[in-house]
């Protein structure tokens, strides 16, 4: 059974930084793309960033480009989202997800991902 668990959320002032982590188990971690999504109250879940199975290719939503960095450590079965220059509009529950395709597939939309974590809350105060 695939399990996905996020950690690292919290409360931070605008302009501050946080690093989220995502641990996945239940299938070969290094063989699948990974992604981060977020959902603010009253809004739909939206794509934040994605990374391919090797970590050599990434994709970002325009709203976070230049501020957030996605990375993965396949030896530790862990993915990260470094969030800098945080804004109040970044406040949301952040979810990690694993890709559907073994050593392939896209990683920039919800349809590309099959297993999801429960999420971690990020709150940015002004």
């Amino acid at each position: 059974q695939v399990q996905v668990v996020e950690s690292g959320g919290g409360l931070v002032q605008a302009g501050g930084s946080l690093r989220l982590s995502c641990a996945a188990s239940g299938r070969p971690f290094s063989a699948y793309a990974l992604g981060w999504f977020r959902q603010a109250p009253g809004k739909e879940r939206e794509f934040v960033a994605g990374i391919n199975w090797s970590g050599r290719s990434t994709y970002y939503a325009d709203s976070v480009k230049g501020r957030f960095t996605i990375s993965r450590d396949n030896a530790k079965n862990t993915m990260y989202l470094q969030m800098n220059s945080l804004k109040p509009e970044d406040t949301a529950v952040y979810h990690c997800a694993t890709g559907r395709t073994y050593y392939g597939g896209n990683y920039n939309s919800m349809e590309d991902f099959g297993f999801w974590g429960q999420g971690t809350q990020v709150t940015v105060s002004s």
Side-chain angles (χ1 to χ4, degrees):
Q1 183 177 357
V2 178
Q3 291 188 323
V4 180
V5 180
E6 306 92 340
S7 61
L11 173 64
V12 64
Q13 289 188 332
S17 299
L18 278 176
R19 188 176 80 157
L20 305 183
S21 298
C22 170
S25 60
R27 61 177 183 170
F29 180 87
S30 61
Y32 294 91
L34 297 164
W36 286 100
F37 292 76
R38 66 187 182 187
Q39 187 166 18
K43 295 188 177 181
E44 294 186 351
R45 188 171 299 188
E46 64 175 1
F47 171 80
V48 175
I51 189 167
N52 78 330
W53 61 270
S54 70
R56 296 191 184 98
S57 182
T58 58
Y59 192 85
Y60 295 93
D62 288 342
S63 58
V64 306
K65 203 172 292 183
R67 299 188 298 123
F68 291 10
T69 302
I70 189 172
S71 62
R72 64 190 297 164
D73 185 340
N74 286 340
K76 295 182 179 179
N77 286 5
T78 304
M79 174 180 66
Y80 305 98
L81 184 68
Q82 178 66 45
M83 305 186 294
N84 298 329
S85 302
L86 283 161
K87 305 174 181 180
E89 50 264 44
D90 294 319
T91 295
V93 175
Y94 283 69
H95 297 269
C96 169
T98 67
R100 295 181 182 274
T101 306
Y102 189 71
Y103 286 117
N106 295 320
Y107 42 94
N108 59 8
S109 69
M110 289 187 65
E111 294 73 22
D112 300 326
F113 297 90
F115 297 94
W116 297 79
Q118 293 297 309
T120 184
Q121 176 70 47
V122 172
T123 303
V124 184
S125 63
S126 57

